[in-house]
């Protein structure tokens, strides 16, 4: 999938501080991994997805990645609290897609109303270089396999 990152303003959270910025401006001239989770403080997201990316930061930096971003359809306050609740998470940059605008634009919106979670992002990861999505790893509902850092690193190496 060769697609550009949308020009949508969202709160971007770095070291517990949020700034409203256009995502395409934030990612210009960078090589990054951007992963998305269904929700902050949810079991798989909190126990596996985020911690595994935190633990893989040096492996990604070693092969030329500038940053790792985490997107969730949560407001900036929830995203800040969630990131701050994990050790060493200050190296992960949060994207609070509270209105699901980016999620909709990337065709990743899932209806989770049967679980009383509203509409959320699919679990995914992507490699982005200068705003161009080079690789896209989207999970089947309820799975955590292809969007893991281990899988992404194995696809790169």
């Amino acid at each position: 999938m060769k697609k550009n990152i949308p020009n949508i303003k969202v709160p971007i959270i770095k070291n517990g501080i949020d700034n409203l910025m256009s995502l395409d401006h934030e990612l210009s001239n960078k090589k990054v991994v951007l992963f998305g989770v269904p929700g902050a403080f949810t079991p798989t997201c909190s126990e596996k997805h985020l911690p595994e990316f935190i633990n893989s930061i040096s492996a990604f930096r070693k092969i030329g990645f500038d940053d790792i971003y985490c997107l969730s359809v949560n407001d900036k306050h929830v995203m800040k609290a969630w990131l701050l609740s994990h050790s060493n998470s200050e190296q992960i940059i949060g994207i609070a897609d509270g209105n699901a605008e980016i999620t909709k634009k990337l065709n990743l919106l899932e209806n989770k109303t049967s679980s009383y979670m509203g509409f959320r992002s699919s679990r995914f990861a992507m490699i982005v270089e200068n705003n161009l999505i080079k690789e896209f790893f989207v999970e089947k509902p309820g799975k955590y396999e292809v969007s893991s850092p281990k899988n992404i690193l194995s696809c790169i190496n």
Side-chain angles (χ1 to χ4, degrees), residues 39-72:
F41 294 107
T42 58
T44 303
C45 305
S46 292
E47 296 165 14
K48 293 182 182 178
H49 214 173
L50 178 60
E52 288 178 15
F53 268 104
I54 291 169
N55 293 333
S56 301
I57 290 169
S58 62
F60 282 104
R61 290 236 165 98
K62 199 177 282 186
I63 57 173
F65 283 82
D66 297 301
D67 291 305
I68 298 176
Y69 289 77
C70 178
L71 176 145
S72 185

Side-chain angles (χ1 to χ4, degrees), residues 5 14 17 22 28-29 42 48-49 59-60 70-71 73 79 86-87 94 103 107 113 117-118 121 123 125 130 142:
I5 291 295
K14 296 178 183 178
I17 299 168
S22 173
S28 65
N29 300 313
T42 58
K48 293 182 182 178
H49 214 173
F60 282 104
C70 178
L71 176 145
V73 180
M79 281 298 287
H86 288 271
S87 297
T103 302
N107 213 18
T113 56
M117 291 177 64
S121 172
R123 185 178 306 284
N130 195 26

Side-chain angles (χ1 to χ4, degrees), residues 61-121:
R61 290 236 165 98
K62 199 177 282 186
I63 57 173
F65 283 82
D66 297 301
D67 291 305
I68 298 176
Y69 289 77
C70 178
L71 176 145
S72 185
V73 180
N74 287 110
D75 65 62
K76 66 183 180 182
H77 307 291
V78 170
M79 281 298 287
K80 275 197 254 187
W82 184 53
L83 290 170
L84 291 171
S85 74
H86 288 271
S87 297
N88 301 317
S89 66
E90 65 280 350
Q91 294 184 64
I92 302 290
I93 300 169
I95 302 169
D97 189 21
N99 294 334
E101 292 176 89
I102 294 168
T103 302
K104 287 177 201 167
K105 190 77 171 176
L106 295 174
N107 213 18
L108 293 166
L109 194 66
E110 283 189 23
N111 183 342
K112 301 233 180 223
T113 56
S114 65
S115 301
Y116 300 94
M117 291 177 64
F119 290 87
R120 300 294 180 114
S121 172

Side-chain angles (χ1 to χ4, degrees), residues 4 11 26 31 35 39 45 51 68 70-71 75 77 117 122 126-127 131 133:
N4 283 324
E26 172 67 19
K31 180 178 180 181
F35 71 101
C45 305
I68 298 176
C70 178
L71 176 145
D75 65 62
H77 307 291
M117 291 177 64
S122 299
M126 61 176 73
I127 296 171
N131 285 320
I133 300 168

